[in-house]
Amino acid sequence: MSLSKTLSQRSGDKCELCGAENDLAAQEVSGSDQIGDASTVAACIKCRDEINGDTLDMNHWRCLNDSMWSQVPAVQVMAYRMLHRLAGEGWAQDLLEMMYLEEDTKKWADAGLIEVEKTLDVNGTELKKGDNVTVIKDLPVKGSSQVIKQGTMVRGISLADDPTLISGKANGQSMYLIAAYCRKK
């Protein structure tokens, strides 16, 4: 039986990651010593584009809540890797903590992880979405005469695409701050 027929039969003609039913194709899951359907997943065009690209639609990947429980190791590995890419999101981190992989499947999943640069505060502590931070020195606000004073609390930060920046509200205004000038509370 051909690879596409095997994947089609296994997946029920749906994306094994998000459940979409159109534009399905095989997506190779790197790092496996197996070949054929054991190292591929049936994925829709949206999933394939985001797996192979740099940008992620956070809401699209909430589907991993279901697909991470698949009995197919290749699907488990892909879900694990995508959750790692989304680990800055609280929900993705929660799913990662719940996920269970057999030892050999975990090794396969870890072998293909893309190391994402983490956002760190002044002490080298990793910052995550929703953390509270304190500004450690007076910071001038670009484009204005305003200054964010040392000791200002920024609550519920968000992470930016650039790992050196965080975003949050300081003195009632939303702005980006350099993470190295903040301390996690």
Side-chain angles (χ1 to χ4, degrees), residues 8-129:
S8 175
Q9 189 174 35
R10 181 179 81 193
S11 69
D13 289 323
K14 292 183 180 179
C15 176
E16 292 181 284
L17 299 171
C18 74
E21 296 179 0
N22 52 355
D23 296 323
L24 297 179
Q27 171 68 44
E28 182 72 27
V29 183
S30 64
S32 174
D33 53 357
Q34 300 179 14
I35 57 171
D37 66 311
S39 64
T40 50
V41 297
C44 68
I45 188 74
K46 175 124 173 108
C47 288
R48 290 192 316 271
D49 285 348
E50 293 203 13
I51 288 167
N52 300 317
D54 293 331
T55 60
L56 293 175
D57 175 2
M58 306 303 175
N59 288 323
H60 173 75
W61 291 106
R62 289 184 181 268
C63 61
L64 295 175
N65 187 37
D66 296 326
S67 57
M68 70 185 228
W69 302 111
S70 171
Q71 297 300 310
V72 179
V75 177
Q76 293 173 349
V77 168
M78 190 57 71
Y80 180 84
R81 290 178 182 174
M82 292 310 295
L83 286 170
H84 263 278
R85 284 180 61 187
L86 297 162
E89 299 292 315
W91 62 267
Q93 187 63 41
D94 292 344
L95 291 179
L96 263 176
E97 291 170 7
M98 286 191 301
M99 193 170 188
Y100 172 79
L101 297 174
E102 295 290 334
E103 187 175 332
D104 56 335
T105 306
K106 176 104 166 69
K107 284 181 185 174
W108 176 18
D110 286 336
L113 282 179
I114 300 169
E115 190 58 38
V116 177
E117 194 174 340
K118 296 178 177 159
T119 303
L120 305 175
D121 74 356
V122 67
N123 297 323
T125 305
E126 183 179 357
L127 297 174
K128 297 189 184 213
K129 183 178 180 179

Side-chain angles (χ1 to χ4, degrees), residues 137-148:
K137 70 179 233 173
D138 289 354
L139 299 174
V141 177
K142 273 188 179 178
S144 78
S145 61
Q146 186 181 12
V147 174
I148 304 298

Side-chain angles (χ1 to χ4, degrees), residues 149-171:
K149 296 287 187 187
Q150 176 181 350
T152 301
M153 174 71 80
V154 181
R155 299 183 193 281
I157 64 166
S158 295
L159 303 180
D161 290 337
D162 181 349
T164 63
L165 300 175
I166 59 170
S167 64
K169 276 193 171 185
N171 297 340

